[in-house]
Amino acid sequence: MIALKSLARFREVEVTDCKLNIYGTELDSRLLIGSALYPSPQIMRDSIQASNSQVVTLSLSRQNPQANGGSDFWQMIQSLGLHLLPNTAGCHSSQEAINMAQMSRELFQTDWIKLELVGDDYNLQPDPIELVKTTEALLKDGFKVLPYCTDDLVIARHLVELGCKVIMPWGSPIGTGKGLLNPYALQAIRDRFPEVTLIVDSGIGKPSHALQAMEMGVDAILLNTAVAKSHNPVMMAQAFAQSIQAGRLAYQAGLMTEQHQANPSTPTLDQPFWHQVNY
């Protein structure tokens, strides 16, 4: 009976949970997945499907469907029927990123753009000054900008004040797999802007990293390397999908508050009589 009640409660939470909202588009999955670094196009396809993601990121710098560049890759991406999220990976200047965004909008037929602007090649940290300036220009040009930024609360505030409905702070530098280096900073952004869709992007190396972020109230996770470079990308995609779902459910259920002092889970007051039997 207890198990049935728990299952019913799980289904109730699952049904009543609001969906992931990206500029008015509602999605069931809270995992966004990349399309780079896979051992083969077929493994990429199988991994994306295993993740249950509804959004796949791709870069114009890697593929150019208009010039038949990587046509097999492009056709496979199209066949998945997912929302496309082009990015400006590799751009170092505002104008370079704007040009790539405009070309991506024309080729991929979407006004979504994941804005990436490299500020330093040592750790690929986003350039906060150029990022804010470029975000403003792209928003005015009709783009729905998903800016990739550091976990700086002030930068996040500037982006939100410009009109961003989604912001994408890093967990740690891209490709490091170090997880959440500064949970406090991410939690501060979450608490300060509860109305904004918050997607942790880059640095997620393990399903437990994604779980930790989701337990904090983050809305979604975007990742690529941790799946694509694993020994079994398809299985790893499934692992991340399940960890993200578990983290979201735990956040909704309400995590217990940490205590400084131990407290017994079974109270001594009003014990059932069988606890008092002496053998």
Side-chain angles (χ1 to χ4, degrees), residues 64-134:
N64 187 345
Q66 191 175 54
N68 293 321
S71 58
D72 291 342
F73 169 88
W74 175 235
Q75 290 173 9
M76 184 169 288
I77 289 291
Q78 283 185 309
S79 71
L80 293 171
L82 305 178
H83 294 276
L84 302 182
L85 177 57
N87 63 48
T88 61
C91 291
H92 288 72
S93 70
S94 179
Q95 192 56 56
E96 187 181 6
I98 291 172
N99 290 342
M100 185 173 288
Q102 291 172 339
M103 288 189 289
S104 296
R105 178 167 59 183
E106 180 179 350
L107 293 173
F108 300 127
Q109 297 297 299
T110 179
D111 54 6
W112 286 7
I113 190 73
K114 177 191 170 187
L115 179 58
E116 299 183 41
L117 266 168
V118 178
D120 190 283
D121 287 325
Y122 177 72
N123 67 352
L124 302 179
Q125 179 171 327
D127 185 325
I129 299 171
E130 290 293 296
L131 183 70
V132 171
K133 180 174 72 174
T134 309

Side-chain angles (χ1 to χ4, degrees), residues 28-183:
D28 294 315
S29 174
R30 294 179 179 273
L31 170 59
L32 290 69
I33 195 164
S35 57
L37 304 176
Y38 293 90
S40 71
Q42 187 59 51
I43 291 178
M44 176 199 72
R45 176 189 175 90
D46 293 344
S47 301
I48 292 174
Q49 290 181 319
S51 74
N52 292 321
S53 176
Q54 295 171 283
V55 178
V56 60
T57 65
L58 68 171
S59 175
L60 185 62
S61 62
R62 292 184 60 244
Q63 307 292 339
N64 187 345
Q66 191 175 54
N68 293 321
S71 58
D72 291 342
F73 169 88
W74 175 235
Q75 290 173 9
M76 184 169 288
I77 289 291
Q78 283 185 309
S79 71
L80 293 171
L82 305 178
H83 294 276
L84 302 182
L85 177 57
N87 63 48
T88 61
C91 291
H92 288 72
S93 70
S94 179
Q95 192 56 56
E96 187 181 6
I98 291 172
N99 290 342
M100 185 173 288
Q102 291 172 339
M103 288 189 289
S104 296
R105 178 167 59 183
E106 180 179 350
L107 293 173
F108 300 127
Q109 297 297 299
T110 179
D111 54 6
W112 286 7
I113 190 73
K114 177 191 170 187
L115 179 58
E116 299 183 41
L117 266 168
V118 178
D120 190 283
D121 287 325
Y122 177 72
N123 67 352
L124 302 179
Q125 179 171 327
D127 185 325
I129 299 171
E130 290 293 296
L131 183 70
V132 171
K133 180 174 72 174
T134 309
T135 295
E136 183 175 17
L138 290 175
L139 287 169
K140 288 180 179 178
D141 194 22
F143 283 94
K144 293 169 179 166
V145 183
L146 290 78
Y148 167 58
C149 56
T150 60
D151 52 16
D152 187 291
L153 178 63
V154 176
I155 295 299
R157 179 175 61 81
H158 284 301
L159 294 170
V160 172
E161 289 175 350
L162 285 174
C164 288
K165 304 298 182 186
V166 181
I167 53 176
M168 306 178 72
W170 70 4
S172 52
I174 189 168
T176 62
K178 290 182 176 295
L180 309 185
L181 290 184
N182 195 341

